[in-house]
Structures are given as C-alpha cells and as structure tokens.
Amino acid sequence: MAYLTLEDGTVYEGESFGAEHDAIGEVVFNTGMTGYQEVLTDPSYSGQLVTMTYPLIGNYGVNMQDPESDAPKVSALIVRELCELPNNWRSEETLGKYMKDNNILGLCGIDTRSLTRRIRNLGTMRGIITMERPTEAQLAQMKDFAVIRPVDKVTCREPYEMGEGETKIAVLDFGLKRNILRSLAAHGAKLTVYPAHTDPHKILEGGFDGVMLTNGPGDPKDNQEIIQNLKVIIDESELPIFGICLGHQLMALAMGADTAKLKYGHRGSNHPVKDVEKDRVFITSQNHGYTILPESLPECATITHINMNDQTIEGLRYEGKKMFSVQFHPEASPGPEDTAYLFDEFLAMMKESR
C-alpha cells in the first residue's frame, strides 16, 4: 500500500510502483492524454508530485528518444491505472521499470478525478506519499516543504554547443526541454547553451545573433540574479530575444512587470490560446504555475497572446525592442505544429537584425 496525504488532511490510498520511497512535493495535475514520458523528464516539474488526469497511463511504454532531459525530474507520478503491458512499436520498456531504474516513485489506484477536483477547488497544495500512514513528523515536514532555487538544480553545469548554421544563438538554460534546442537547430541555427547564472557580458561579447530564454521550474521572482543579468543584456545590446515559459516571465520581470501565482496552474497539451494579431486560436502545451499581471506591464509591452480559458497573458512583444515571449511551449507540438511559426519569426528577426 501507499498513501498520498495533502496538507489539508485529505488522504488517498493506493499502490506504489516504480521506486519505493517517500516523496514530498507540490501536488499538480496535467490534462494531457499522452506525453507522460515528456512530463516525467520536463525540468519544469522539479519538486512536484504530478497527477495525470487521463485514467490509463503507460499504455505505449517508454523509449529513449522522447525524454526532454537526461533523467526524470518529477518527485513522483500519480495515476489512476498503470498499464504494465504496453503495445507500441517504439516501446523499449515499461513505465514502471523506467521509473524504478531512475528512482522515481509512482502511485496508482487512487481516484485522480477526485484529487484533480480538490486541487481545482482549493488550489495547488503540498503533499506527501508514504509507504505507511504518515507520522506527525512526516506531516510537519510536508507542511514546511519548499523548493529552494529550483533553477539551480536543473540548469546545465557547463556551456555546450549544438547544431550548425550561420545564425548563432545563445541559449540560457533555466531547465530547458530538449525539443527547444531541436526546433532551433532544425531552423539552421548554431546554439551555445549556457548555465542560468552566466555573466551577461560573456553573452554580449560572444558574437551572437540572438538570445533564447528557456523554460524552467519555480517562482520566477526567486531568480533575482538572473533578472538583473537579463537587464544588462536588454540595456546594453539590441540583440533579438525570445522567451518561453519561465523565460517569458523573467523577461517581463526584467522589464518592470510583476508576476503572481495561479490557483492551480496550466499543465497539459490542450490549452487554447488566441494569437491576437492573427485573430486565430491555437492549441498549446503548457506547464507553469505563475502568470504575468496585466496591470503591471510597462507601456512598451503589447499583449500578443491570450489564454481562452482564463484570459491570462500568454504572449508579449516589446515595442522599441527586438524582444517577444510566450507562456506556452511552441516546441511541444500539440497541434502538432500550430505555433512553430514563432521560431520562424525569431529567425527572421535575427536575420533582419544581422
């Protein structure tokens, strides 16, 4: 047996799979019907107990081509029903074995619909999964849980290069998904990926045509050093800059805007977003728990994309600057290529600037 206990005292009883150890984290839910392997390996889920709302998980197994990072980054995966006999020509092993090999705890057999409704009604909360009924000490540990500087835990340790082409892009890794790099490289770009806290002058002196700000975990306002570094890049250059997810939020903070935590966040591959300029709605993949406050935007900021579910900001462009950003993941291909045009716009912006 295994038990999920929420900080409001609610207990869900199920079965463990994968690794068998206790896990503490922020309990969130993802509404995607597929993509559990990408979810497991997305660094933006660092420190979280992720609930999949689709009831059957593991039915197409796991392969070694789809991970978005070097290993799973979630604290635990929670599912209604685990499929132990996958059937897919690309499958190389079962989800349970993959999680056990990577020391990730899984919980199955609970009412994920009930759990999702509770999070939607009451908001994201902390939780702990234990193999036995939790002790008072464990509950106290869960209530004090906080992820400190999660970007530092998932960023690369040393710079590295990827791709070939005339366009040179500096990528600041805040916990990137590999498909961002693949998407840029497929557009003929040569990428140099830097750790999150890289000295901004190293980028300014690197002869780059543009800067990519990636996704990553946690509260964007926890990254004050990074925000100050971005201010230097923005103020001392005219380099085109494209931000995705956390990069979108950090760019806004560097420009003087403010952010706030959402009640339960946006996580899934089916979020409708309207491109205001194109007057068209696209289906997007998302994974974030914070949003930019519209009343805090500087005068130079123009809202380019809006979430059709709750009208939160999904994209910004800054007049007088060669900068734009989106809250969703254009590289995740839920459409499958609905918003790939954003990479085209970034490449065109760098070409024009060059």
Side-chain angles (χ1 to χ4, degrees):
M1 302 300 295
Y3 302 87
L4 166 65
T5 306
L6 304 180
E7 61 180 302
D8 70 348
T10 305
V11 178
Y12 293 90
E13 183 178 310
E15 299 284 344
S16 66
F17 68 95
E20 290 195 4
H21 55 71
D22 298 343
I24 300 176
E26 182 182 47
V27 183
V28 300
F29 63 86
N30 182 292
T31 58
M33 294 177 66
T34 61
Y36 53 81
Q37 186 174 353
E38 289 84 348
V39 167
L40 282 171
T41 55
D42 181 349
S44 295
Y45 283 111
S46 177
Q48 294 180 330
L49 312 179
V50 182
T51 304
M52 302 300 294
T53 62
Y54 190 70
L56 178 64
I57 299 298
N59 54 315
Y60 56 86
V62 172
N63 64 67
M64 298 304 112
Q65 288 74 51
D66 291 344
E68 290 289 354
S69 62
D70 58 347
K73 297 295 188 290
V74 304
S75 294
L77 184 70
I78 303 168
V79 305
R80 176 69 182 92
E81 180 181 350
L82 173 69
C83 177
E84 298 179 343
L85 294 172
N87 185 1
N88 185 276
W89 66 276
R90 298 179 70 232
S91 176
E92 297 178 37
E93 63 181 356
T94 66
L95 175 60
K97 184 178 185 304
Y98 178 72
M99 291 177 59
K100 185 175 183 178
D101 290 346
N102 286 278
N103 199 34
I104 300 297
L105 169 66
L107 177 65
C108 65
I110 75 163
D111 187 345
T112 52
R113 174 176 286 188
S114 169
L115 175 58
T116 300
R117 281 209 304 258
R118 180 163 291 275
I119 295 172
R120 280 183 60 92
N121 292 336
L122 301 179
T124 299
M125 62 184 83
R126 300 176 185 90
I128 182 170
I129 301 176
T130 54
M131 299 300 104
E132 305 288 342
R133 290 278 182 177
T135 64
E136 290 299 321
Q138 288 175 316
L139 293 177
Q141 184 183 9
M142 177 260 290
K143 291 179 179 179
D144 291 336
F145 171 81
V147 180
I148 308 300
R149 299 173 69 91
V151 169
D152 295 359
K153 294 178 172 64
V154 296
T155 186
C156 62
R157 301 302 168 211
E158 299 291 338
Y160 62 93
E161 294 184 349
M162 176 179 173
E164 298 179 358
E166 295 182 358
T167 304
K168 295 176 60 181
I169 302 175
V171 180
L172 278 172
D173 175 14
F174 306 135
L176 64 78
K177 294 170 64 180
R178 287 175 174 171
N179 214 35
I180 292 177
L181 302 183
R182 297 188 197 105
S183 297
L184 290 171
H187 281 73
K190 181 178 181 180
L191 313 174
T192 303
V193 183
Y194 288 101
H197 294 277
T198 297
D199 185 332
H201 292 100
K202 188 170 185 178
I203 293 174
L204 293 176
E205 297 165 5
F208 294 105
D209 298 304
V211 180
M212 178 81 235
L213 310 179
T214 76
N215 63 292
D219 184 343
K221 286 191 281 194
D222 287 345
N223 302 286
Q224 291 302 314
E225 180 186 346
I226 296 172
I227 293 168
Q228 294 304 315
N229 289 344
L230 292 181
K231 286 182 179 180
V232 173
I233 295 174
I234 293 169
D235 292 342
E236 296 185 13
S237 78
E238 295 185 356
L239 285 173
I241 306 175
F242 180 22
I244 291 175
C245 199
L246 181 61
H248 160 78
Q249 297 165 357
L250 293 175
M251 184 188 297
L253 289 169
M255 291 297 290
D258 195 11
T259 58
K261 189 169 186 177
L262 293 164
K263 185 177 181 180
Y264 49 81
H266 299 158
R267 297 175 180 90
S269 55
N270 49 6
H271 290 256
V273 167
K274 181 176 182 180
D275 184 320
V276 177
E277 296 173 348
K278 296 181 183 299
D279 192 27
R280 181 178 170 186
V281 174
F282 297 94
I283 300 302
T284 69
S285 178
Q286 303 202 14
N287 174 19
H288 63 101
Y290 293 81
T291 187
I292 297 167
L293 298 174
E295 63 271 19
S296 71
L297 292 175
E299 291 185 3
C300 65
T302 299
I303 298 174
T304 58
H305 297 76
I306 298 173
N307 189 295
M308 298 301 289
N309 288 332
D310 60 12
Q311 284 68 59
T312 51
I313 295 173
E314 291 284 353
L316 291 170
R317 191 178 301 275
Y318 298 89
E319 304 303 326
K321 298 283 187 179
K322 299 169 185 175
M323 297 166 31
F324 69 102
S325 62
V326 291
Q327 184 64 77
F328 53 90
H329 286 265
E331 86 290 342
S333 308
E337 297 183 354
D338 284 11
T339 54
Y341 67 88
L342 293 164
F343 292 108
D344 295 327
E345 291 183 4
F346 184 40
L347 271 292
M349 182 182 290
M350 288 185 288
K351 183 178 180 180
E352 181 181 347
S353 178
R354 193 167 62 236

